[in-house]
Structure formats: C-alpha cells, structure tokens
Amino acid sequence: MAPFYPVYIARSDGKLEIDSRSRKKELNQPTDEQLDSTPDAKGVSDFYTQLDDGDAKEVDWRRKLGGMLLRELGRKEHQGPKLLGLKGKERLINYILAALPENYRLYEHLKYTISEETGKLQKSTRNHAKGPNDRQDAYLYGHPSGRKKRYRSPADFFPHLLWLATDTDGDPNNCTCKICSPEEIQIVEKSQNAAQAKIRTELATKKEDVKTKVPVVGSEPMVAAPKRTASHDGSKPIPKVSPPSVAPPIPQTAQRRMSTPTPLPPAKCFEQGLDCQYGKFLFRPGELVWFNRGSAWGLSIITKRELFKDARQLDRPRYWVQPLSHPFGHPPLKIVAHEDHLRPWLAWSAPGPTHEPLAAGGLTYDTVDWRAVLQGRYGPGDAEVDGSIYAAKAIDESYTVFQQLDVLTATAGETHWNGIYLGGEKIWVGEPIRLRIGSGQDIMILQDIVEKTRPSHPTGTGGTTTYLVGDIYTFSTVMHTPGREPPANPNLPVRLRQDLSYRNQATIPTKGNISSWKLMQSLARLSLGEVKGRWYESSLLLPILRGTADFTRDLRRGEISDAGMWMNGRGDSSLGAGKIGQKKFDRRDAFGRAVPVGTQISKGLDGPPRENDFPIEAGSSTHPIALEEDHPPQMQQGVSDGDLEEFMNLDRMEENFVQQYAENGGHFTENYPLH
C-alpha cells in the first residue's frame, strides 16, 4: 500500500459551543433529540452519532482533504509519483490530514429499522452501498456559525480548510466556502441549472434508441482551487490550468457546457465610453504612474487629462500629474504631454527606501516617523523619495468601488458597481482584466462588480465581500488556414478585438499563425486577489515598454508578446500576491497625506468643465502648443536574454543604486539600466 504522509493544520476557528439567539450557550453539535437512538413505534432508529478518531469514514475524510490541500498548495514534487523504496520502484506519495482542525468533529447520520418479527436489523429496500441502513451520511460540525451550518462532504469543507491554511489575516470575509460566503454558489447554480436544462432539451429532441450517459452536475467534483502565479519570465512558460476554477469548484463537464459568451454591458457614462475606445488614452485619472522628470523617473497620481491639438493639428493626450511625497512637503503639479513619458505603476517594481533603517522596520507610510526622517535620525537618504515609495505601496494595497448601479435582480445586501480602483489602476465593467490563474495570459471580461454586505460573524467580524463576475478567456494560437479563421466574437471589447487584429496582421504573413481569444468559462466569480491588474493593448503599450526600435524589430519578425508578460501584478511589490487589500471610502482617501490637501481627481467628461481646465500658459484644446521632441530616459526594457526577473526586481540591482537614486532626486536614471 502506498504510504500516507501527514499534513498539519496549525489554525482552527472551530467552536465546541456557541451563543444562541437567546444568549445561552449551545453545544455546536446535533441536538439531544437527534443524538437519541431510541427506535420509534415502528422500530425505526433515526439519529446521529459521533465518529471516533480512526474510524474508517473519518480517515477517508482526512485522506481526501490532505490530497486536495497538497494538490493546491504543494510544489510539483508533491503532486505526482516519486521513486521510493527498494530497487527504485515507483510508488505514489499520498497525503492525509494528521487531524481535523481543532473542535471540528464528524457525526454520522444513521437510519435503520428493527424488524418486529425477528428483532434483527431489517435490510433496506433501497439499492445503495450503505448496507442495511436507510441512510448513513457523515456531517462535519464545528463552524462558528453553529450546528445548522455543517459541511456535507470533504469537497464542501475544502475551501474553508484552504482559508484556514493560507489566510494570514484570519478574516472570515476572505473565505469562499458555502457557509462563510453563501452567495458564492448563486451564479454557479444558475449556470448549472441552465446547463442541465439544455441537456434535457437536447436529449428529448434526439430520440436516440441507445442510452446516453449524461454527467450529473451535482456529482462529486474534482477540487482544484485557482493557482496564484506571480509575475514571471516571459521566456519560461507556466503550466496551464484549464479551465480556471472558482470556489466552489465546478465539475469539468459543467465547465465545458458553459461556453456561451456573455453580451457586453453598455457604457454607463462618458468617461467609461472614452476608455472603451482604442488608442484614445492609455492612462486614466486617479491612476498611479511612473513619470519622467527630465533625467529621471518618479511616482505620481494622474489628476486630470485631455486631448489637445499639437503643432500638426493632431489630437494628442496630455496629463496633469501630482508627484507623491512625505506629508510635510509636496512637489508641484506637472503636465506630461507625451504618453511615452509615463509608465503604468505595474511596469516596474519600486526599490527599497533610501534610508536603510526604514527597510528593517516593517513600516508603512502612516507609521513612518517622517519628522524624524527629515531631522536625519534615520541617517542619510531622501525623504521625498521614500515618501513616494511608501505611498505607492499603500495605494497598491487599496481598492475603492465607484458609481453604484441600480440592478433590479440584486438580492438583499448586494450592491453593484460600475467601476473599481484596484491598487494603482482604474477598471470599468465591460473591459478586460489580467488574471493570476490559468496560463499567465488569461483574462476576464468584467461583467459585474458585486459588494456583498454580510451580517456580523460569530467570531466578531462582519463587513463586506467584494467579488468580480465575468467571462474567462485564454489566448489561443493555431496555424493559419485561409478561409478557416476562428469565428469573430462580437462580445469581446473593441480594444481587445482591434489589438488582436493588429497582432494577427503581423503573425500571419511571418509565422503562419493566427490567434484568438478562446472562451474558457462564462460568468465565473473571482475575488480581488485573483486579479493582476487591468489589461493593456500590446500594440499600444509595448512600443513604450520595449522601445520603438526593439518593438519594430519584433513586429517585423511577427513576435508580439502579450504586454502583461512585461508587467507585475497588483500586490507583488506591496501586500503580497493574491491578497485582497484594504477598502478605501473614495480614491482621494487612498492617497492619504502623500498628496497636498485639496488635491482633486477629475471626473473628466462626467464632471464639471472647470475640473478639466489646464493652465493656459501650457496650452489648451483651443490654444495649440508645439510639443518638444525630446526623448525620455530609457529604463532598459528590451532584455536580450529574456531575464524578466531581473528586469522587474529593482531591489536586486547594484548596491550603489539606492545612493544614485537619491542623488538624482529619487528617480531612476539611464546610467543605471536594469540587467
């Protein structure tokens, strides 16, 4: 028999007793009446009994949970056969929970009948594998919500076990099990019911004589929670998880049937419509960006934007940015009239502070003693630089929903939103976002942003859970056969379709390949932690990230990679990949004291005209200006060896980089390119 290796769970929220509604203590187990095995007048015994440690069914639960946990969290060597034993014989490694989490206990529901004639156990007339019993089901008790909230199977309990094993905050709002997040199953259930109805219709119309085996959607699912992947080297492929799964897990058969694209929701405001257009603006008000300060780069917030006429009477985008700093001094606003003088926040990783003692303290922007820093008590360094670094990381950890929608089908406690500031980026419903799950190039077309208000939890925490709903697509490339191109999908955003057309025009004549976005799952639900950030067009952003020369060379070769492969994911430089972060009341609240008091973020076309005024001396839409033809300092984007890890990680540069960073006003210079 293959050996089983124990897996230990160090944390538990299990409760042996809870406070009832009448404020009396109540045992968190079946009631006394349910535990009573006395047969009724007909000889029927219907009761619950606790399973002892080591009982066959208790062991089976622990084996299944251990295996699922290691498949999700274990490294590659934990997920397959291993050479063990004598003579190199290959044997499969198995895993088992050493014990159920503390205060969680299994109870078995038994029902059987004692014959009045023989006084012996009467065999059930039902055709099942439970022997003579009419029923013999196991339930796991211990959840802090009480005895009515129990788990019916290992797969049912696994999302909660995964939360216990991975959530360092211990916040029940982060758990996706059916008890902690009952709304989790609503979308899935609707999709499953639609899939089952479709199957019944197809079977009724076929009228085949042969029996057709139809997979049952509600059968025992294969549990595989989404893999969270950090930003990676574009030259090293990531194992594909197909299709991406969401909790609770959906059987593979059900996912294959859910293949109908969801129609795109219409734009609800002018700014949303503007951001849905291809080639208008790369950046948006309220976003965190890197900006060029002449000979170096800094961190700033975009406060407003506009299109203006250049000397050739062409529309050009222009941005007004507010540099970030410590709370006791702020640089003036700056107008940036070249989009290649800006970079998305996630294009580069922020370095450590210039004051070395700050790096060892686990400090945040709000906990740093900035007066002491300015007084020199933390040694040499640049306070403005360190203020911008800590502020950017704090913004990256935040999120803010905006523009509430009236949804007639919303259930009690649900609020639907049209957009979200997620970390440093502004995201609208109806546009693509980059995901941590799947192939590394998977995206979701966002259909809904839902905020679910939850009642107070027995552990003392309530609050809200915010999740995203949309269709998941993966980037698929095949050999091009004229006349057999992948069908057009009108449910993809215009930006996505135009960028795809641009890329195919380069790859078809050079590589003989054609690409498309392949639907993997409709109306999937993901937490905020599963999102890397918003999606950018490769045709527009790569010329900036790679440089014109390198991009043109790649274009001629038909080698256009996904822009997301050159970028980080939200949290990679701050709270950690996969974390949800802290909700802020509004976008201004996320900036805190890192920007001057009174700083406003323009609502653009949806706000008053005065919010969009630029200084007259800098030109306006009615006063054309001549743009300078200078070029921004280049952080070496085209890494010849494909060493994207080094490209992203500024902390691994030369030791004297931090000093040079401070000497140049706290910004990167062309004298210190990434290697």
Side-chain angles (χ1 to χ4, degrees):
M1 180 178 177
F4 281 82
Y5 291 83
V7 179
Y8 296 86
I9 300 296
R11 186 167 68 90
S12 177
D13 65 341
K15 301 290 183 182
L16 293 178
E17 60 181 18
I18 61 169
D19 292 323
S20 65
R21 293 183 179 180
S22 60
R23 297 185 179 180
K24 295 181 179 179
K25 292 294 184 181
E26 179 181 277
L27 291 177
N28 196 3
Q29 64 183 38
T31 64
D32 291 340
E33 182 180 354
Q34 291 173 321
L35 293 171
D36 186 2
S37 62
T38 304
D40 61 15
K42 296 182 179 181
V44 178
S45 294
D46 189 353
F47 64 98
Y48 288 74
T49 182
Q50 184 176 350
L51 295 179
D52 296 329
D53 294 343
D55 181 275
K57 186 163 290 189
E58 190 264 353
V59 171
D60 183 61
W61 270 62
R62 289 192 287 115
R63 284 177 178 174
K64 290 178 178 178
L65 290 169
M68 288 188 284
L69 197 62
L70 263 294
R71 281 198 298 272
E72 167 61 18
L73 300 179
R75 296 189 299 272
K76 185 176 181 181
E77 59 265 28
H78 296 135
Q79 299 175 1
K82 191 85 170 180
L83 291 179
L84 296 173
L86 300 175
K87 301 180 180 180
K89 184 178 180 181
E90 190 176 72
R91 302 175 67 189
L92 184 66
I93 295 180
N94 294 306
Y95 298 90
I96 184 173
L97 285 188
L100 292 170
E102 185 178 5
N103 295 334
Y104 277 90
R105 295 162 297 163
L106 272 173
Y107 282 83
E108 190 171 37
H109 185 188
L110 295 172
K111 183 178 180 182
Y112 54 80
T113 303
I114 302 297
S115 173
E116 296 180 358
E117 298 177 358
T118 64
K120 297 181 179 180
L121 190 65
Q122 182 175 307
K123 185 176 181 180
S124 173
T125 57
R126 297 183 181 181
N127 184 21
H128 54 49
K130 296 181 174 62
N133 298 322
D134 291 316
R135 66 180 304 161
Q136 190 172 336
D137 309 311
Y139 298 92
L140 186 65
Y141 288 80
H143 191 278
S145 292
R147 62 164 65 112
K148 293 184 179 180
K149 303 298 183 180
R150 58 189 185 176
Y151 296 100
R152 298 173 178 271
S153 68
D156 210 19
F157 180 58
F158 175 67
H160 196 75
L161 181 70
L162 184 63
W163 168 73
L164 288 173
T166 59
D167 185 25
T168 56
D169 297 331
D171 184 359
N173 291 328
N174 297 336
C175 179
T176 60
C177 79
K178 294 179 181 179
I179 295 177
C180 292
S181 296
E183 72 277 7
E184 177 80 28
I185 62 173
Q186 294 175 2
I187 297 169
V188 174
E189 286 179 342
K190 291 178 182 178
S191 300
Q192 290 176 344
N193 292 337
Q196 288 175 320
K198 182 179 179 181
I199 294 170
R200 287 194 294 268
T201 302
E202 291 176 351
L203 291 178
T205 55
K206 286 183 179 179
K207 299 182 179 180
E208 295 177 348
D209 294 332
V210 295
K211 293 183 178 180
T212 304
K213 295 183 179 180
V214 181
V216 180
V217 176
S219 60
E220 184 75 18
M222 177 187 298
V223 178
K227 296 289 184 183
R228 297 169 170 82
T229 58
S231 295
H232 57 278
D233 188 330
S235 63
K236 300 175 182 178
I238 291 181
K240 184 176 180 181
V241 180
S242 177
S245 58
V246 292
I250 309 172
Q252 189 78 8
T253 53
Q255 291 186 4
R256 283 198 293 267
R257 296 186 200 113
M258 295 162 55
S259 57
T260 303
T262 307
L264 282 173
K268 304 292 193 305
C269 61
F270 292 112
E271 283 290 291
Q272 183 180 13
L274 189 62
D275 286 332
C276 289
Q277 298 180 43
Y278 178 86
K280 288 292 186 181
F281 290 101
L282 266 179
F283 307 100
R284 303 168 180 181
E287 290 195 320
L288 170 64
V289 295
W290 300 91
F291 76 104
N292 171 32
R293 299 185 68 169
S295 61
W297 293 84
L299 287 161
S300 66
I301 295 299
I302 294 177
T303 62
K304 63 180 66 177
R305 66 184 181 182
E306 74 166 1
L307 292 174
F308 72 98
K309 298 290 185 181
D310 65 9
R312 294 169 293 178
Q313 295 299 304
L314 299 176
D315 283 337
R316 296 284 295 273
R318 174 171 61 186
Y319 303 89
W320 202 348
V321 302
Q322 171 61 59
L324 301 175
S325 182
H326 60 80
F328 299 110
H330 301 94
L333 288 157
K334 178 179 176 63
I335 292 178
V336 179
H338 292 265
E339 280 195 326
D340 60 355
H341 286 203
L342 298 173
R343 298 288 188 277
W345 153 245
L346 296 177
W348 297 328
S349 299
T354 62
H355 295 84
E356 294 184 4
L358 294 178
L363 299 171
T364 66
Y365 185 92
D366 291 330
T367 59
V368 170
D369 186 347
W370 292 110
R371 292 190 183 278
V373 172
L374 292 169
Q375 293 169 1
R377 284 189 273 168
Y378 282 86
D382 189 305
E384 182 181 321
V385 173
D386 292 351
S388 69
I389 293 171
Y390 278 102
K393 292 184 176 182
I395 294 168
D396 191 46
E397 295 177 3
S398 72
Y399 71 92
T400 301
V401 290
F402 63 88
Q403 200 173 110
Q404 184 175 344
L405 301 176
D406 292 328
V407 178
L408 297 178
T409 58
T411 60
E414 277 188 359
T415 307
H416 297 255
W417 302 89
N418 195 35
I420 182 171
Y421 285 104
L422 190 60
E425 298 177 318
K426 183 179 184 180
I427 297 171
W428 295 100
V429 165
E431 67 176 350
I433 52 179
R434 299 184 294 129
L435 304 181
R436 293 191 176 277
I437 62 175
S439 67
Q441 297 189 59
D442 289 1
I443 61 172
M444 170 185 274
I445 307 302
L446 189 57
Q447 295 286 339
D448 199 3
I449 301 169
V450 185
E451 191 175 48
K452 182 74 172 180
T453 302
R454 304 175 61 184
S456 181
H457 195 274
T459 58
T461 59
T464 60
T465 299
T466 303
Y467 60 90
L468 309 176
V469 179
D471 293 359
I472 294 178
Y473 288 83
T474 192
F475 195 73
S476 174
T477 300
V478 298
M479 293 296 295
H480 176 246
T481 302
R484 299 183 62 183
E485 291 81 6
N489 183 356
N491 296 302
L492 293 177
V494 172
R495 291 172 49 221
L496 201 68
R497 283 183 277 154
Q498 292 194 340
D499 183 70
L500 180 65
S501 176
Y502 182 96
R503 296 172 68 174
N504 281 333
Q505 288 176 21
T507 59
I508 290 175
T510 56
K511 300 288 188 180
N513 294 336
I514 186 170
S515 299
S516 63
W517 288 102
K518 180 180 178 182
L519 179 64
M520 301 301 294
Q521 186 175 348
S522 301
L523 295 178
R525 168 184 161 169
L526 297 178
S527 72
L528 301 183
E530 305 293 350
V531 179
K532 287 184 178 180
R534 73 178 177 96
W535 174 88
Y536 296 84
E537 298 91 331
S538 297
S539 53
L540 299 179
L541 187 59
L542 280 184
I544 295 176
L545 296 184
R546 297 275 288 136
T548 303
D550 286 343
F551 177 76
T552 302
R553 181 198 64 208
D554 293 344
L555 184 64
R556 289 171 178 168
R557 296 174 178 174
E559 298 173 351
I560 305 181
S561 60
D562 188 88
M565 307 295 284
W566 293 85
M567 300 177 67
N568 287 323
R570 172 181 176 252
D572 290 350
S573 297
S574 56
L575 74 168
K579 299 272 183 86
I580 293 175
Q582 183 179 7
K583 181 184 178 182
K584 297 294 184 179
F585 175 73
D586 58 26
R587 189 55 170 170
R588 176 60 184 84
D589 186 35
F591 306 149
R593 298 182 296 164
V595 298
V597 174
T599 298
Q600 292 185 339
I601 304 302
S602 169
K603 296 182 178 65
L605 300 176
D606 300 311
R610 65 178 181 275
E611 286 189 359
N612 302 315
D613 289 341
F614 274 62
I616 191 68
E617 60 270 17
S620 68
S621 58
T622 57
H623 295 75
I625 64 172
L627 295 180
E628 69 277 15
E629 295 299 330
D630 62 316
H631 298 283
Q634 293 296 316
M635 292 182 68
Q636 186 173 331
Q637 300 280 0
V639 185
S640 59
D641 294 332
D643 192 358
L644 193 60
E645 294 287 335
E646 290 291 335
F647 160 69
M648 285 297 184
N649 189 358
L650 305 186
D651 294 332
R652 295 170 62 182
M653 297 172 65
E654 294 89 347
E655 293 181 359
N656 59 349
F657 167 78
V658 172
Q659 180 179 356
Q660 180 71 11
Y661 182 84
E663 292 173 355
N664 286 276
H667 313 288
F668 305 116
T669 70
E670 56 189 350
N671 296 325
Y672 282 84
L674 296 171
H675 300 292

